[in-house]
Amino acid sequence: MVLKTRMLVTPAPLESHRPNNKEVFLDESQQQQQQQQQQQQQQHHQQQNQQQGPPISIIVIHKVIKQPQPDVGGRTSWGDAYSTTDDTASLISFVSDVGGEASIVCGVKLRLWNGKTLFSDFIQEGLRHQQRKSDDVVMLYESPSSISSEEQFYNSQVYKFHDYPRAPVPCKAVLGPCRYSLMNGATYPSYLRESPPEGLLEHWKSTVPGFKEPSFVSTISDTSLVYAYLPMENVQNHLNDPHIHYHLSGKDAIGLMTQKTTQRLSNTRDRRPCVCKISHSMGSKGIFTIRNDEDEARFQAFLQKSGNPPFVITEYLVIERKVSGHFFLHPNGEVTWFGSNETCLSTKMKDGGSKWSYDSTIVMNQQEHLREIQLPFVKDVIHYCQSLGFWGLCGVDVVFDKAGNGYLVDVNPRVTGSCPALMVSRLLKELHGFEYCLFRHNSRFAFRGTAEELLNQVRVFNEENQGKVMVILYSFSELNPTQTLVNMAVHGGTSLSYCESVLDSFAPVYSTSTSSSSSSSP
């Protein structure tokens, strides 16, 4: 079967695909509902513009990137976009003076994170800038699900996120929320179903410089304003418009943000290999490379099992580098940059494709360069988000081919997985001079023992290696006496290989099961 284009009826106005050739027609009630949603969004945009005041005038101080040149085939080449002049280099060095005034770099009003302002502090600043209610706010870091009605935040109607196959419950309820709560701060409470795992807060106090202990709530009232990880159907008051938030979360929105992305295809037959991506998926799930009819049959089977979600088809790239950037977009258009991490190649495949490590690589002396090559893509994303009135924590994924051409392949309008580790890396760089960090936050890896044993072994390791290397537990959840799921990082050491050996000693591969997240192309 050949997969062809079909219109997706969601707030996103791009084509998506379904595993059949039928058109979607709206009845009269659905048309009225869609018109009402569009009117609500327009009213919301007008309110946002009134609250934000006049637009900021941006003056480009230095020429940071060259204009892209189309090649013979008409495709835009971005390989030249990362050459900078000496003036640009001096400007970027100026921006790296943390705590100074924001400067315009590549059309982005940018400042680096000051090492003190935390997630809930940023949200309070944004609300005050908009002159909105800022006293009863809850930070919600748990992700929704459209797979199981047993989940705490089940989206079944409007904001469907396809998280098939279902992740272990502790991943949603404990590991993710606790990982982000480490950098939440004390301004607003973080939602957590139950109390944090015993010993976790004490571990943070002993390892994270300047740690500010968060408070936790296990309920969210209907009157609370919620800063949500992603839009939730059972949350009454979202800080951002949930329709816009959902739209920005979709793979089908990337083409509206920038031209610096992979080419969209109309079917899976004309160009192979190609890549199929579930539009609203999470955790790198629902990504398939289609090389032959067998691959397409596997993807068809996945669609049937996961409820036939919409998807997009893109060209296939042989990727040499994957870089993720993490930042906060203020309602006034200013960007606070947390940093960048890379995902490294683990193996090369015969067809030129790649399999990628599950770990996030952070090298502090590469941060300036990584920021520089990502800013042209970030600029497009933030301008699009601003045009819709969206602000908050964000992340982008940019891939580069062998020729150095860059492509924006993912936009996450939320706090992203490696962001806390980047922030801690910055603090440990200042305190101990640590250059390296390897962050592991995948459920395939687990500690062989109880949570108490894990805490004790990490404490002993850190005491024996004080000032040289440090293991930090970002979150953990004991499943049974022989298995504790863990999000952890090794900071410092002499190399990334050394960091990996330490990680493997604490949290080796526990599950050998594979899923679509192992796909060779984003």
Side-chain angles (χ1 to χ4, degrees):
M1 177 184 293
V2 177
L3 306 181
K4 294 187 178 180
T5 300
R6 182 183 180 186
M7 291 303 297
L8 166 66
V9 184
T10 69
L14 269 186
E15 285 187 337
S16 292
H17 302 77
R18 295 277 190 176
N20 57 49
N21 298 331
K22 296 180 180 179
E23 296 290 337
V24 174
F25 296 98
L26 301 180
D27 59 31
E28 184 175 353
S29 62
Q30 289 174 320
Q31 292 176 357
Q32 292 175 351
Q33 183 179 7
Q34 190 177 59
Q35 291 173 356
Q36 290 174 355
Q37 290 178 354
Q38 292 173 347
Q39 291 173 356
Q40 290 174 357
Q41 291 181 12
Q42 291 174 354
Q43 292 173 358
H44 178 80
H45 298 164
Q46 293 173 356
Q47 293 173 357
Q48 289 287 330
N49 292 334
Q50 291 173 357
Q51 291 170 344
Q52 292 175 6
I56 299 173
S57 297
I58 295 179
I59 302 175
V60 179
I61 302 174
H62 295 282
K63 181 180 179 182
V64 177
I65 62 171
K66 299 179 180 179
Q67 290 298 320
Q69 300 295 326
D71 62 18
V72 177
R75 166 178 283 284
T76 301
S77 173
W78 298 91
D80 293 338
Y82 310 111
S83 301
T84 58
T85 64
D86 292 339
D87 288 339
T88 301
S90 64
L91 177 60
I92 293 193
S93 297
F94 171 75
V95 174
S96 24
D97 292 334
V98 178
E101 294 296 323
S103 299
I104 309 298
V105 183
C106 190
V108 178
K109 193 175 184 182
L110 181 74
R111 73 170 73 238
L112 300 190
W113 180 54
N114 61 13
K116 298 178 181 179
T117 308
L118 303 178
F119 295 154
S120 62
D121 304 327
F122 282 114
I123 297 305
Q124 183 185 62
E125 289 179 1
L127 290 171
R128 288 179 173 176
H129 173 80
Q130 293 184 320
Q131 298 181 349
R132 294 170 63 185
K133 171 186 173 183
S134 61
D135 55 343
D136 182 13
V137 179
V138 176
M139 306 292 288
L140 175 56
Y141 299 114
E142 186 168 335
S143 61
S145 174
S146 297
I147 295 298
S148 173
S149 59
E150 298 177 359
E151 293 288 352
Q152 190 83 359
F153 298 97
Y154 177 54
N155 289 359
S156 62
Q157 300 296 322
V158 182
Y159 313 124
K160 289 187 176 182
F161 288 95
H162 300 276
D163 51 339
Y164 177 87
R166 185 182 181 187
V169 173
C171 292
K172 285 185 177 290
V174 181
L175 296 183
C178 285
R179 175 174 74 236
Y180 299 126
S181 295
L182 169 60
M183 286 290 143
N184 182 74
T187 299
Y188 298 133
S190 174
Y191 173 83
L192 198 63
R193 298 187 195 183
E194 300 177 355
S195 299
E198 185 176 352
L200 182 59
L201 294 179
E202 290 73 17
H203 172 75
W204 289 345
K205 292 175 184 176
S206 67
T207 56
V208 179
F211 170 65
K212 291 184 180 179
E213 184 172 345
S215 60
F216 295 91
V217 294
S218 57
T219 59
I220 300 175
S221 71
D222 290 344
T223 59
S224 295
L225 185 64
V226 178
Y227 180 78
Y229 182 80
L230 289 168
M232 314 282 191
E233 291 179 3
N234 57 347
V235 167
Q236 297 298 316
N237 299 307
H238 288 81
L239 182 145
N240 278 300
D241 185 315
H243 292 287
I244 292 173
H245 198 179
Y246 184 74
H247 165 64
L248 293 172
S249 303
K251 302 290 191 297
D252 48 3
I254 296 176
L256 298 177
M257 302 182 193
T258 183
Q259 294 181 350
K260 302 186 277 288
T261 187
T262 48
Q263 183 180 349
R264 289 281 294 272
L265 305 178
S266 61
N267 63 67
T268 58
R269 181 176 58 185
D270 293 342
R271 287 179 60 178
R272 288 183 175 177
C274 59
V275 180
C276 293
K277 306 177 185 181
I278 303 301
S279 179
H280 286 80
S281 59
M282 294 186 292
S284 298
K285 296 179 179 179
I287 302 175
F288 288 79
T289 300
I290 309 299
R291 298 179 177 85
N292 48 49
D293 291 344
E294 289 75 16
D295 290 337
E296 192 166 293
R298 261 192 302 273
F299 182 54
Q300 283 279 355
F302 175 86
L303 290 173
Q304 294 176 2
K305 289 180 180 178
S306 58
N308 292 330
F311 60 96
V312 297
I313 306 171
T314 70
E315 65 178 315
Y316 177 88
L317 298 175
V318 177
I319 300 167
E320 292 292 317
R321 196 172 195 183
K322 293 174 66 176
V323 185
S324 300
H326 312 261
F327 57 93
F328 181 82
L329 174 59
H330 298 255
N332 65 1
E334 186 175 296
V335 169
T336 296
W337 189 262
F338 296 115
S340 305
N341 68 276
E342 291 196 69
T343 305
C344 294
L345 287 170
S346 59
T347 57
K348 278 276 192 180
M349 295 189 295
K350 292 181 180 179
D351 66 350
S354 310
K355 286 192 175 181
W356 299 89
S357 169
Y358 289 99
D359 301 332
S360 296
T361 298
I362 299 170
V363 181
M364 297 308 294
N365 64 16
Q366 294 181 6
Q367 290 301 305
E368 184 175 315
H369 170 65
L370 295 179
R371 181 173 68 249
E372 180 182 344
I373 65 175
Q374 286 183 283
L375 281 180
F377 304 90
V378 172
K379 172 188 174 182
D380 293 347
V381 172
I382 64 173
H383 286 177
Y384 187 77
C385 290
Q386 276 189 280
S387 72
L388 298 180
F390 178 88
W391 61 278
L393 295 158
C394 293
V396 297
D397 293 337
V398 181
V399 300
F400 297 89
D401 61 21
K402 185 175 293 185
N405 301 312
Y407 306 84
L408 179 69
V409 294
D410 206 4
V411 174
N412 296 302
R414 55 176 174 80
V415 60
T416 38
S418 300
C419 189
L422 271 163
M423 298 167 77
V424 173
S425 294
R426 163 66 191 286
L427 299 174
L428 292 176
K429 165 70 173 178
E430 293 182 356
L431 183 63
H432 297 298
F434 290 169
E435 286 288 345
Y436 302 106
C437 170
L438 205 60
F439 181 45
R440 182 166 291 178
H441 55 108
N442 188 282
S443 59
R444 291 169 54 91
F445 302 88
F447 175 74
R448 307 295 203 273
T450 65
E452 183 179 4
E453 291 170 338
L454 172 63
L455 284 164
N456 288 335
Q457 290 187 26
V458 168
R459 176 181 54 79
V460 170
F461 178 89
N462 287 342
E463 289 175 352
E464 293 177 348
N465 296 276
Q466 188 171 7
K468 299 178 181 178
V469 63
M470 180 180 291
V471 172
I472 295 182
L473 305 175
Y474 286 76
S475 56
F476 57 78
S477 179
E478 181 180 317
L479 298 184
N480 55 60
T482 62
Q483 183 183 14
T484 298
L485 297 179
V486 61
N487 287 184
M488 64 185 299
V490 178
H491 296 265
T494 56
S495 67
L496 290 171
S497 297
Y498 172 78
C499 293
E500 185 176 25
S501 67
V502 176
L503 276 179
D504 289 341
S505 69
F506 281 101
V509 174
Y510 194 91
S511 169
T512 57
S513 61
T514 59
S515 69
S516 58
S517 61
S518 310
S519 179
S520 61
S521 184

